[in-house]
């Protein structure tokens, strides 16, 4: 026998209790892992290297405001700007309000020049440019609704008081498997009686080094105008968008904290019960020569073992989320599940922490009982 | 750690143990003097509450005297810390409880092996020692049995094997036959005598059974915390 085997035997002397404790820790850490992963995704939404070359120009006052479409040509003339496309969030409803996906009015000639990581076939791109009512969908979106080229797609306007009758002319791939739909800005503008306003431009610079200069040049160009602009990196823009949802980080951190703390209380209570039942055996161990530190290590080791099995269960449950289409489940809010190494470390660290704390306090109380007290049941 | 050389391996002087019970001071041991020479089989007898088990626990270093001196195997026990006492017990003392106190989730083999996990012996060496100890107590065929699968007498014999597994100088037994039927008690007492006579172990046994005390070479009587002359 070894100390490890002794810990194993003790851990499973009450299989039901140990199993339920492992499950409790497992589900709690699964929730923690999911929350941390989603928070990480929300706070680090763009991970492609290509995004570092992109800027988003929006009205300085608010994302809800619009700016003149004429800005497009002026932005194009800014040094080091290679491509500019309109990007108007339409928020149209397709058939049912529950069928949420991102749909943008944009420039067919430019959109795939700015977002080069989104790939479209040459014939499909040409068809998109040629057909005024044409629209292209990401493969994730097309697969979701089983769309085929030629299918009519009607978007009911929510922000803009118009319904758009579109025709699918092609699909494109998105590296993040997002559900996206692009259609002609000109078609929307025409439907809006040539409003000639736009919510945002996406700009592609010639190099990463040129990006800060471009941003400054664009904003200074429109400073003191009726519609001042705010130009920021794509990542900063998306984070600003997320912040409009409220203090997501604070909310998620609070939920995670409550989950872990509750789990800690459950684990301390369970280990306390297990060790209290064994006070007499602790006295036996002391009698046959076990030091307090050795007994402490055995009890804490048992608690850490239980917590680690729970953590492994939590990680396994977390990994199973890879099999779920979160894009559909969350209606595009969460597009993927890919925990980073820090998240795994945080979950395992929390598991070990729960084990150490839940094992230490009851063990400390137990090893400090005298043998005679423990033998008489005076605990 | 203070050490000195003495002929008696147990030397108790003016030992006093008091504790508070129900708000009142209770004297468990009152000015006890005791010498035990190596190789003796001592029986401590007395009625319940006479202090005999308290004296045994102090000799084993698992309880502490209120005052007085207690030298065992050249160690003044009152000067040792808890962890030093644990280490000392592991090396020198085998302790047998009245109610066996085996660990229920371990087999007879594993229970006996427990004290050896603290030593530097290899797995094979430990296994040899355990087999030998279980053979001495006549339980070589019960190694893989759990305590619940053993009779009371067999459990106590496993406890004796656990007590002698580290080859201690002294075996201290607290009413080892108290929970046993007459036949099992006889077996246990015979084994203790064998350990004393054949293996030279010093045995100090607490009992209130006059028949059990006949196995000892010396019997001391305690009453109301005093060692009777």
């Amino acid at each position: 026998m070894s100390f490890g085997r002794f810990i194993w035997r003790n851990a499973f002397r009450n299989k039901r209790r140990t199993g339920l404790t492992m499950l409790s820790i497992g589900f709690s850490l699964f929730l923690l892992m999911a929350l941390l992963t989603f928070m990480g995704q929300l706070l680090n939404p763009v991970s492609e290297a290509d995004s570092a070359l992109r800027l988003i120009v929006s009205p300085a006052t608010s994302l809800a405001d619009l700016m003149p479409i004429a800005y497009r040509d002026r932005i194009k003339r800014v040094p080091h700007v290679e491509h500019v496309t309109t990007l108007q969030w339409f928020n149209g409803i397709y058939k049912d309000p529950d069928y949420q996906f991102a749909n943008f009015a944009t420039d067919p000639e430019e959109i795939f020049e700015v977002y080069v990581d989104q790939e479209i076939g040459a014939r499909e791109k040409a068809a998109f440019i040629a057909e005024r009512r044409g629209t292209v969908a990401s493969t994730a979106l097309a697969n979701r609704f089983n769309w085929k080229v030629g299918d009519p797609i009607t978007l009911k306007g929510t922000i803009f008081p118009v319904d758009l009758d579109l025709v699918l002319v092609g699909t494109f791939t998105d590296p993040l498997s997002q559900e996206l739909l692009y259609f002609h800005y000109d078609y929307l503008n025409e439907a809006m009686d040539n409003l000639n306003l736009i919510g945002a431009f996406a700009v592609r610079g010639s190099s990463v080094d040129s990006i800060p200069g471009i941003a400054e040049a664009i904003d200074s160009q429109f400073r003191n105008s009726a519609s001042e602009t705010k130009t920021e990196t794509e990542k900063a823009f998306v984070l600003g968008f997320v912040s409009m949802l409220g203090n997501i980080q604070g909310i998620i951190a609070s939920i995670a904290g409550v989950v872990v703390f509750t789990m800690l209380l459950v684990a301390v209570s369970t280990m306390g019960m297990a060790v209290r039942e064994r006070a007499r055996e602790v006295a036996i161990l002391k009698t046959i020569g076990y030091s307090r530190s050795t007994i402490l290590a055995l009890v804490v080791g048992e608690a850490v073992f239980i917590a680690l099995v729970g953590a492994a269960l939590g990680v396994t449950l977390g990994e199973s989320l890879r099999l779920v289409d979160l894009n559909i489940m969350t209606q595009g809010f969460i597009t993927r599940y890919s925990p980073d190494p820090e998240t795994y470390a945080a979950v395992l660290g929390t598991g070990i922490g729960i084990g150490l704390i839940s094992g230490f306090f009851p063990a400390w109380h137990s090893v400090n009982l005298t043998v005679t007290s423990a033998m008489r049941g005076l605990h | 750690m203070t050490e000195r050389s003495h002929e008696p391996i147990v030397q108790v002087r003016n030992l006093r143990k008091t504790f508070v019970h129900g708000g009142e001071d209770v004297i468990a041991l009152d000015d006890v003097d005791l010498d035990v020479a190596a190789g003796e089989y001592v029986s401590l007898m007395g009625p319940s509450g006479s202090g005999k088990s308290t004296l045994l626990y102090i000799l084993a270093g698992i309880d502490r005297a209120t005052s007085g001196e207690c030298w065992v195997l050249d160690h003044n026990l009152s000067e040792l810390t808890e962890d030093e006492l644990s280490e000392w017990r592991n090396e020198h003392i085998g302790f047998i409880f009245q109610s066996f106190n085996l660990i229920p989730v371990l087999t007879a083999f594993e229970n006996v092996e427990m004290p050896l996990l603290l030593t530097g012996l290899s797995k094979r060496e430990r296994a040899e020692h355990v087999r030998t100890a279980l053979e001495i107590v006549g339980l070589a065929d019960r190694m893989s049995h759990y305590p619940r699968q053993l009779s009371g007498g067999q459990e106590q014999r496993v406890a004796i094997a656990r007590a002698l597994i580290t080859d201690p100088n002294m075996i201290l037994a607290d009413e080892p036959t108290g929970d046993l039927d007459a036949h099992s008690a006889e077996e246990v007492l015979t084994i203790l005598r064998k350990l004393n006579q054949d293996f030279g172990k010093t045995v100090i046994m607490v009992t209130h059974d006059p028949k059990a005390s006949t196995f000892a070479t010396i019997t001391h009587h305690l009453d109301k915390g005093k060692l009777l002359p």
Side-chain angles (χ1 to χ4, degrees):
Chain A
M1 196 178 62
S2 61
F3 285 133
R5 192 168 177 79
F6 184 57
I7 287 172
W8 174 275
R9 292 284 183 82
N10 275 325
F12 289 106
R13 66 166 60 197
N14 189 329
K15 292 185 180 66
R16 182 183 298 170
R17 181 166 63 196
T18 301
L20 288 173
T21 305
M22 287 172 171
L23 283 174
S24 306
I25 294 172
F27 279 105
S28 302
L29 293 183
F30 158 62
L31 188 56
L32 178 70
M33 187 169 172
L35 287 171
L36 291 177
T37 302
F38 296 151
M39 187 165 73
Q41 189 184 330
L42 284 174
L43 299 179
N44 298 286
V46 184
S47 57
E48 282 65 35
D50 195 59
S51 74
L53 290 173
R54 286 194 289 268
L55 290 164
I56 303 293
V57 183
S58 59
T61 45
S62 163
L63 273 177
D65 290 338
L66 300 172
M67 56 192 163
I69 188 68
Y71 281 13
R72 178 171 50 191
D73 291 337
R74 293 175 64 185
I75 293 171
K76 271 183 186 172
R77 290 196 290 272
V78 170
H80 305 296
V81 168
E82 290 193 334
H83 294 280
V84 180
T85 181
T86 52
L87 208 58
Q88 178 59 56
W89 174 256
F90 184 65
N91 199 38
I93 292 172
Y94 171 68
K95 288 186 179 177
D96 189 305
D98 287 341
Y99 295 169
Q100 288 279 337
F101 55 85
N103 41 81
F104 292 94
T106 187
D107 298 334
E109 299 88 350
E110 288 290 280
I111 183 72
F112 295 107
E113 302 300 330
V114 174
Y115 291 91
V116 294
D117 47 353
Q118 294 175 346
E119 293 177 1
I120 187 169
R123 283 174 58 187
E124 288 171 307
K125 184 178 177 183
F128 183 35
I129 293 169
E131 174 54 55
R132 196 172 185 75
R133 287 171 54 234
T135 184
V136 288
S138 64
T139 48
L141 181 63
N143 290 340
R144 178 181 169 192
F145 293 111
N146 203 23
W147 286 338
K148 301 282 183 296
V149 170
D151 283 354
I153 297 167
T154 300
L155 290 182
K156 186 177 170 54
T158 54
I159 301 171
F160 298 92
V162 290
D163 296 346
L164 301 179
D165 293 318
L166 308 168
V167 178
L168 188 75
V169 295
T171 60
F172 62 92
T173 58
D174 177 75
L176 300 179
S177 300
Q178 299 176 98
E179 295 188 342
L180 298 167
L181 187 80
Y182 295 142
F183 55 90
H184 287 235
Y185 168 78
D186 289 347
Y187 180 47
L188 171 64
N189 196 37
E190 188 180 287
M192 290 295 294
D193 293 330
N194 294 313
L195 194 63
N196 291 328
L197 295 174
I198 186 72
F201 295 104
V203 177
R204 184 178 182 85
S206 59
S207 68
V208 174
D209 294 340
S210 67
I211 293 298
I214 294 173
E216 174 57 30
I218 293 172
D219 288 344
S220 58
Q221 193 169 172
F222 302 114
R223 197 160 291 148
N224 298 320
S225 70
S227 296
E228 293 193 351
T229 58
K230 181 181 178 186
T231 305
E232 53 197 342
T233 61
E234 188 176 53
K235 182 175 182 178
F237 174 78
V238 177
L239 285 177
F241 199 75
V242 169
S243 71
M244 289 168 65
L245 300 172
N247 185 6
I248 293 283
Q249 191 174 6
I251 293 168
I252 291 180
S254 303
I255 295 171
V258 169
V259 167
V260 171
F261 184 67
T262 306
M263 191 57 254
L264 183 61
L265 293 181
V266 170
V268 168
S269 169
T270 305
M271 278 310 294
M273 210 182 302
V275 174
R276 204 159 44 245
E277 288 169 1
R278 272 183 261 156
R280 196 179 179 88
E281 288 172 31
V282 170
I284 297 167
L285 291 178
K286 288 172 89 170
T287 303
I288 63 177
Y290 280 66
S291 66
R292 289 187 304 171
S293 54
T294 306
I295 298 170
L296 199 67
L298 288 171
V299 177
V300 172
E302 180 183 333
V304 170
F305 166 69
I306 290 171
L308 276 179
V309 173
L313 185 66
V315 169
T316 306
L317 284 170
E319 288 300 299
S320 70
L321 280 182
R322 291 182 191 275
L323 306 174
V324 177
D325 193 339
L326 290 169
N327 213 359
I328 293 175
M329 273 182 73
T330 64
Q331 298 185 338
F333 189 68
I334 306 288
T335 55
R336 67 191 190 281
Y337 180 83
S338 54
D340 52 28
E342 288 80 8
T343 301
Y344 288 109
V347 169
L348 289 176
T350 304
I352 292 170
I354 287 174
L356 288 174
I357 295 171
S358 67
F360 180 80
F361 289 106
W364 181 253
H365 171 74
S366 189
V367 297
N368 282 308
L369 279 175
T370 64
V371 171
T372 47
S373 297
M375 284 296 176
R376 291 178 192 134
L378 303 178
H379 46 278
Chain B
M1 196 176 290
T2 309
E3 295 187 19
R4 71 181 185 186
S5 181
H6 274 281
E7 191 54 33
I9 61 168
V10 172
Q11 197 169 42
V12 170
R13 293 290 177 268
N14 306 317
L15 198 72
R16 186 176 171 84
K17 173 71 177 178
T18 61
F19 56 87
V20 178
H21 183 68
E24 289 184 13
D25 280 347
V26 177
I27 299 170
L29 291 173
D30 187 8
D31 207 21
V32 171
D33 292 339
L34 175 69
D35 285 340
V36 176
E40 282 186 342
Y41 187 158
V42 178
S43 166
L44 295 174
M45 288 197 71
S48 293
S50 60
K52 54 189 187 301
S53 288
T54 303
L55 177 58
L56 194 76
Y57 276 49
I58 290 172
L59 294 177
I62 54 182
D63 200 356
R64 289 187 185 271
T66 307
S67 63
E69 284 194 0
C70 181
W71 289 81
V72 182
L73 296 163
D74 293 335
H75 289 79
N76 184 350
L77 301 191
S78 62
E79 291 183 357
L80 300 184
T81 65
E82 286 294 315
D83 284 346
E84 284 171 339
L85 281 170
S86 292
E87 191 180 341
W88 172 80
R89 270 196 303 274
N90 185 256
E91 287 178 19
H92 302 292
I93 303 294
F95 199 94
I96 301 164
F97 295 95
Q98 177 180 345
S99 51
F100 329 134
N101 284 332
L102 299 179
I103 295 173
V105 292
L106 302 182
T107 63
F109 184 99
E110 290 164 340
N111 264 287
V112 176
E113 190 185 13
M114 279 304 286
L116 291 185
L117 293 181
L118 300 172
T119 67
L121 295 177
S122 68
K123 189 177 178 182
R124 177 182 290 180
E125 288 169 327
R126 292 201 306 267
E128 283 173 14
H129 282 65
V130 172
R131 278 192 207 98
T132 304
L134 284 169
E135 277 166 12
I136 289 171
V137 299
L139 286 176
D141 58 340
R142 294 286 190 276
M143 286 187 198
S144 57
H145 286 58
Y146 287 91
R148 64 177 181 279
Q149 298 169 318
L150 300 171
S151 68
Q154 289 171 330
E155 280 194 77
Q156 191 61 299
R157 282 148 64 190
V158 173
I160 293 172
R162 183 178 64 187
L164 63 89
I165 190 67
T166 55
D167 193 23
N169 306 74
M170 286 174 61
I171 291 181
L172 306 179
D174 185 15
E175 306 247 20
T177 58
D179 284 358
L180 300 179
D181 59 63
H183 176 71
S184 298
E186 181 87 16
E187 285 180 340
V188 166
L189 292 167
T190 303
I191 292 170
L192 288 176
R193 184 164 60 190
K194 182 178 171 186
L195 293 176
N196 173 249
Q197 291 181 349
D198 297 352
F199 295 91
K201 304 295 177 196
T202 305
V203 178
I204 303 178
M205 174 180 68
V206 162
T207 183
H208 60 264
D209 179 6
K211 191 180 174 191
S213 69
T214 61
F215 282 76
T217 51
I218 299 172
T219 298
H220 293 292
H221 292 269
L222 281 104
D223 191 25
K224 294 176 183 170
K226 285 186 175 295
L227 195 64
L228 301 181

